PDB file of all heavy atoms in Angstrom:
ATOM      1  N   ALA U  26      -1.136  30.664  57.680  1.00 98.00           N
ATOM      2  CA  ALA U  26      -0.295  30.501  58.875  1.00 98.00           C
ATOM      3  C   ALA U  26       1.117  30.265  58.421  1.00 98.00           C
ATOM      4  O   ALA U  26       2.063  30.689  59.103  1.00 98.00           O
ATOM      5  CB  ALA U  26      -0.793  29.195  59.551  1.00 98.00           C
ATOM      6  N   GLN U  27       1.217  29.798  57.218  1.00 98.00           N
ATOM      7  CA  GLN U  27       2.677  29.492  56.711  1.00 98.00           C
ATOM      8  C   GLN U  27       3.301  30.913  56.444  1.00 98.00           C
ATOM      9  O   GLN U  27       4.499  31.118  56.818  1.00 98.00           O
ATOM     10  CB  GLN U  27       2.545  28.726  55.445  1.00 98.00           C
ATOM     11  CG  GLN U  27       3.815  28.076  54.997  1.00 98.00           C
ATOM     12  CD  GLN U  27       3.479  27.297  53.692  1.00 98.00           C
ATOM     13  OE1 GLN U  27       2.416  26.976  53.365  1.00 98.00           O
ATOM     14  NE2 GLN U  27       4.594  27.088  52.999  1.00 98.00           N
ATOM     15  N   GLU U  28       2.569  31.828  55.971  1.00 98.00           N
ATOM     16  CA  GLU U  28       3.164  33.139  55.717  1.00 98.00           C
ATOM     17  C   GLU U  28       3.486  33.888  56.968  1.00 98.00           C
ATOM     18  O   GLU U  28       4.429  34.598  57.036  1.00 98.00           O
ATOM     19  CB  GLU U  28       2.163  33.982  54.855  1.00 98.00           C
ATOM     20  CG  GLU U  28       2.106  33.480  53.362  1.00 98.00           C
ATOM     21  CD  GLU U  28       0.968  34.121  52.579  1.00 98.00           C
ATOM     22  OE1 GLU U  28      -0.150  34.069  53.094  1.00 98.00           O
ATOM     23  OE2 GLU U  28       1.177  34.563  51.512  1.00 98.00           O
ATOM     24  N   VAL U  29       2.565  33.714  57.942  1.00 98.00           N
ATOM     25  CA  VAL U  29       2.841  34.391  59.235  1.00 98.00           C
ATOM     26  C   VAL U  29       4.082  33.669  59.881  1.00 98.00           C
ATOM     27  O   VAL U  29       4.943  34.435  60.430  1.00 98.00           O
ATOM     28  CB  VAL U  29       1.603  34.192  60.234  1.00 98.00           C
ATOM     29  CG1 VAL U  29       1.939  34.635  61.547  1.00 98.00           C
ATOM     30  CG2 VAL U  29       0.395  34.916  59.679  1.00 98.00           C
ATOM     31  N   GLY U  30       4.226  32.401  59.693  1.00 98.00           N
ATOM     32  CA  GLY U  30       5.433  31.755  60.213  1.00 98.00           C
ATOM     33  C   GLY U  30       6.680  32.335  59.626  1.00 98.00           C
ATOM     34  O   GLY U  30       7.692  32.543  60.305  1.00 98.00           O
ATOM     35  N   GLU U  31       6.676  32.707  58.325  1.00 98.00           N
ATOM     36  CA  GLU U  31       7.820  33.207  57.720  1.00 98.00           C
ATOM     37  C   GLU U  31       8.093  34.631  58.172  1.00 98.00           C
ATOM     38  O   GLU U  31       9.306  35.009  58.432  1.00 98.00           O
ATOM     39  CB  GLU U  31       7.576  33.182  56.168  1.00 98.00           C
ATOM     40  CG  GLU U  31       8.684  33.807  55.274  1.00 98.00           C
ATOM     41  CD  GLU U  31      10.061  33.220  55.469  1.00 98.00           C
ATOM     42  OE1 GLU U  31      10.166  31.998  55.990  1.00 98.00           O
ATOM     43  OE2 GLU U  31      11.102  33.890  55.116  1.00 98.00           O
ATOM     44  N   LEU U  32       7.031  35.410  58.416  1.00 98.00           N
ATOM     45  CA  LEU U  32       7.143  36.763  58.984  1.00 98.00           C
ATOM     46  C   LEU U  32       7.909  36.630  60.320  1.00 98.00           C
ATOM     47  O   LEU U  32       8.766  37.430  60.649  1.00 98.00           O
ATOM     48  CB  LEU U  32       5.921  37.494  59.198  1.00 98.00           C
ATOM     49  CG  LEU U  32       5.110  37.966  57.929  1.00 98.00           C
ATOM     50  CD1 LEU U  32       3.832  38.705  58.349  1.00 98.00           C
ATOM     51  CD2 LEU U  32       5.978  38.990  57.073  1.00 98.00           C
ATOM     52  N   ALA U  33       7.396  35.691  61.120  1.00 98.00           N
ATOM     53  CA  ALA U  33       7.985  35.517  62.528  1.00 98.00           C
ATOM     54  C   ALA U  33       9.437  35.060  62.475  1.00 98.00           C
ATOM     55  O   ALA U  33      10.264  35.595  63.325  1.00 98.00           O
ATOM     56  CB  ALA U  33       7.059  34.542  63.234  1.00 98.00           C
ATOM     57  N   ARG U  34       9.749  34.225  61.500  1.00 98.00           N
ATOM     58  CA  ARG U  34      11.111  33.764  61.418  1.00 98.00           C
ATOM     59  C   ARG U  34      12.069  34.988  61.126  1.00 98.00           C
ATOM     60  O   ARG U  34      13.122  35.149  61.731  1.00 98.00           O
ATOM     61  CB  ARG U  34      11.257  32.729  60.367  1.00 98.00           C
ATOM     62  CG  ARG U  34      12.587  31.945  60.301  1.00 98.00           C
ATOM     63  CD  ARG U  34      12.689  31.081  59.040  1.00 98.00           C
ATOM     64  NE  ARG U  34      12.697  31.927  57.827  1.00 98.00           N
ATOM     65  CZ  ARG U  34      13.648  32.720  57.399  1.00 98.00           C
ATOM     66  NH1 ARG U  34      14.712  32.812  58.146  1.00 98.00           N
ATOM     67  NH2 ARG U  34      13.522  33.406  56.258  1.00 98.00           N
ATOM     68  N   ARG U  35      11.564  35.838  60.269  1.00 98.00           N
ATOM     69  CA  ARG U  35      12.406  36.987  59.879  1.00 98.00           C
ATOM     70  C   ARG U  35      12.438  38.012  61.005  1.00 98.00           C
ATOM     71  O   ARG U  35      13.443  38.629  61.241  1.00 98.00           O
ATOM     72  CB  ARG U  35      11.828  37.618  58.563  1.00 98.00           C
ATOM     73  CG  ARG U  35      12.002  36.657  57.402  1.00 98.00           C
ATOM     74  CD  ARG U  35      12.154  37.258  56.078  1.00 98.00           C
ATOM     75  NE  ARG U  35      11.251  38.371  55.816  1.00 98.00           N
ATOM     76  CZ  ARG U  35      10.284  38.349  54.970  1.00 98.00           C
ATOM     77  NH1 ARG U  35      10.018  37.292  54.212  1.00 98.00           N
ATOM     78  NH2 ARG U  35       9.500  39.463  54.770  1.00 98.00           N
ATOM     79  N   ALA U  36      11.262  38.162  61.661  1.00 98.00           N
ATOM     80  CA  ALA U  36      11.259  39.133  62.802  1.00 98.00           C
ATOM     81  C   ALA U  36      12.189  38.632  63.937  1.00 98.00           C
ATOM     82  O   ALA U  36      12.923  39.441  64.578  1.00 98.00           O
ATOM     83  CB  ALA U  36       9.822  39.224  63.331  1.00 98.00           C
ATOM     84  N   ARG U  37      12.350  37.339  64.159  1.00 98.00           N
ATOM     85  CA  ARG U  37      13.070  36.844  65.159  1.00 98.00           C
ATOM     86  C   ARG U  37      14.617  37.024  64.851  1.00 98.00           C
ATOM     87  O   ARG U  37      15.370  37.314  65.718  1.00 98.00           O
ATOM     88  CB  ARG U  37      12.761  35.356  65.397  1.00 98.00           C
ATOM     89  CG  ARG U  37      13.180  34.767  66.682  1.00 98.00           C
ATOM     90  CD  ARG U  37      12.627  33.364  66.902  1.00 98.00           C
ATOM     91  NE  ARG U  37      11.101  33.436  67.097  1.00 98.00           N
ATOM     92  CZ  ARG U  37      10.554  33.879  68.268  1.00 98.00           C
ATOM     93  NH1 ARG U  37      11.228  34.324  69.256  1.00 98.00           N
ATOM     94  NH2 ARG U  37       9.236  33.825  68.396  1.00 98.00           N
ATOM     95  N   ALA U  38      14.906  36.887  63.535  1.00 98.00           N
ATOM     96  CA  ALA U  38      16.327  37.081  63.123  1.00 98.00           C
ATOM     97  C   ALA U  38      16.679  38.485  63.214  1.00 98.00           C
ATOM     98  O   ALA U  38      17.888  38.873  63.542  1.00 98.00           O
ATOM     99  CB  ALA U  38      16.458  36.671  61.718  1.00 98.00           C
TER     100      ALA U  38
END
Side-chain angles (χ1 to χ4, degrees):
Q27 202 179 335
E28 287 168 313
V29 171
E31 179 55 20
L32 288 184
R34 191 192 60 70
R35 298 209 314 247
R37 202 167 288 289

